[in-house]
Amino acid sequence: MSIGGMERMDRVQRVDARANRARILDVAEEVFGKGGESASTEEVARLAGVGIATVFRHFPTKAALLEAVLVRRFDRLREQAEALRDADDPGEAFFGFFSHLVADAATKIAIAEALLDAGGDSDGAKQASRRLRQAVGTLLEHAQRAGAVRSDVELPEVYALLVGTSRAAARGNLGQQVTRRMLAIVFDGLAGEAVQFPGDWR
């Protein structure tokens, strides 16, 4: 085979490897998001349509796979928050993203617990989580400047409320109506003078 042919084959193999990695991550996010620590890499391989050796070629351990899934999820949420930085209505951006994080919590918590169960103590996931927190802090600051969030609250207590409501929604079997009312009460406590909530948040 010519050098040019070998280079083309190498490019194709790299593209295939990237596609396999992305597919494994997509499937793993769904599998571990639903099954938590009880889910297996074998199930991920089967649903992704690859062999278990392919999974472990990309991710040598279950913990490494779960870390990659969790980092990607945090990064995706951070990117969504960053896309809202210049929103026309900073209050709607902040409260809407807060609600989005609460709705996302069950899957994220399941993946994080599976990572801990697999023996992972992920610096990568911790750093990704910190970046998400900073992005939420930016939305909070913009909402405060717009008068949509009271000026006497800071990110630590807002994030404590976010974590608490997220865990309650994920683990409390609250139902949509109770979750909406819970968020409405929290938002009423955070609201500045300029905020007006959509009717479906109450």
Side-chain angles (χ1 to χ4, degrees), residues 29 70-84 97 100-105 108 128 131-133 135-136 139 159:
E29 185 169 353
L70 195 57
V71 167
R72 190 177 72 154
R73 194 173 188 88
F74 279 134
D75 285 346
R76 186 166 63 238
L77 290 168
R78 174 185 51 78
E79 290 167 0
Q80 292 169 358
E82 290 174 347
L84 294 169
F97 192 67
H100 176 61
L101 288 177
V102 172
D104 179 78
K108 179 182 68 63
R131 291 192 295 268
L132 171 59
R133 180 185 173 113
V136 172
L139 294 183
Y159 226 75

Side-chain angles (χ1 to χ4, degrees), residues 121-174:
D121 185 15
S122 167
D123 287 338
K126 290 175 182 175
Q127 291 172 9
S129 178
R130 282 194 291 269
R131 291 192 295 268
L132 171 59
R133 180 185 173 113
Q134 291 169 354
V136 172
T138 299
L139 294 183
L140 172 63
E141 291 172 3
H142 289 189
Q144 287 176 312
R145 285 200 295 268
V149 174
R150 52 193 290 180
S151 61
D152 61 341
V153 299
E154 298 181 355
L155 182 59
E157 54 260 35
V158 170
Y159 226 75
L161 288 170
L162 176 58
V163 170
T165 51
S166 294
R167 288 195 172 277
R171 293 289 185 256
N173 296 318
L174 303 182

